[in-house]
Amino acid sequence: MVTGILIFNTYSEDFFSADRYVAKLNQKLKFIKAYSEEVIIVSNVPELLLPHTPRNIRIITEYYKGKGVIGRLHAGLSLSSYPTNIVIHFDTLPDDINLPHVLNRFYLTKSDLILFDPSYLNGIYRKSIVPLLAHALEQESSTHNAFEKLN
């Protein structure tokens, strides 16, 4: 069983155009739903997303405020229902991801994480890394250094 997690920046131009946001969201949801049983959106501006997001999609915010994408990654993994999680940043183009290949590699290698786009932290993660992420977020002032230590 797999959870799909969409991570948003604090603000995106797409939030201010409902049509553009909905089109982009539907593209991401179609892609991620093909591989997951549950979808979570992580954003610290849920009020902008709620009116345009299907009701069966959970929208959550990060626990570690001000920690950026890594803080949102932690929140999504923490609240996912399944041990395997596909994490995709909202600005990622699904066409650039060969998800069946990456999932197969993930299961064969029994990795805790496989990144397919490190710039956005796009990848497949095991929920088991949540305590390590939390520890790194609590210890580090730089979120980039925190993730580098995990990697």
Side-chain angles (χ1 to χ4, degrees):
M1 306 290 268
V2 177
T3 297
I5 300 172
L6 290 176
I7 295 181
F8 283 80
N9 283 333
T10 303
Y11 284 98
S12 168
E13 280 185 30
D14 295 311
F15 293 163
F16 302 107
S17 167
D19 291 339
R20 187 169 44 202
Y21 166 74
V22 169
K24 203 169 175 180
L25 176 65
N26 287 337
Q27 175 195 35
K28 302 296 186 293
L29 290 177
K30 181 179 177 185
F31 176 75
I32 207 163
K33 281 182 174 181
Y35 302 97
S36 55
E37 287 74 27
E38 140 184 88
V39 177
I40 297 173
I41 293 175
V42 187
S43 171
N44 61 352
V45 287
E47 64 278 4
L48 296 177
L49 306 177
L50 278 169
H52 310 289
T53 303
R55 294 190 188 279
N56 64 331
I57 306 297
R58 291 173 33 202
I59 299 176
I60 63 171
T61 61
E62 69 256 24
Y63 301 138
Y64 294 96
K65 302 294 184 199
K67 295 293 187 174
V69 177
I70 293 176
R72 289 188 276 285
L73 172 66
H74 171 269
L77 292 174
S78 294
L79 294 177
S80 73
S81 300
Y82 304 113
T84 303
N85 299 269
I86 300 167
V87 176
I88 299 176
H89 192 278
F90 189 68
D91 291 331
T92 300
L93 298 174
D95 298 342
D96 296 341
I97 304 168
N98 184 351
L99 202 47
H101 171 73
V102 179
L103 270 169
N104 189 43
R105 200 172 100 219
F106 180 77
Y107 289 125
L108 286 174
T109 62
K110 297 181 175 36
S111 299
D112 286 330
L113 74 103
I114 290 182
L115 296 176
F116 47 81
D117 181 0
S119 63
Y120 284 127
L121 303 183
N122 292 327
I124 302 174
Y125 296 78
R126 290 213 191 278
K127 187 174 174 127
S128 61
I129 72 163
V130 168
L132 297 172
L133 264 178
H135 180 72
L137 286 165
E138 290 168 359
Q139 301 301 315
E140 293 292 328
S141 57
S142 167
T143 55
H144 180 47
N145 288 342
F147 192 75
E148 287 300 314
K149 284 185 178 181
L150 291 174
N151 214 359

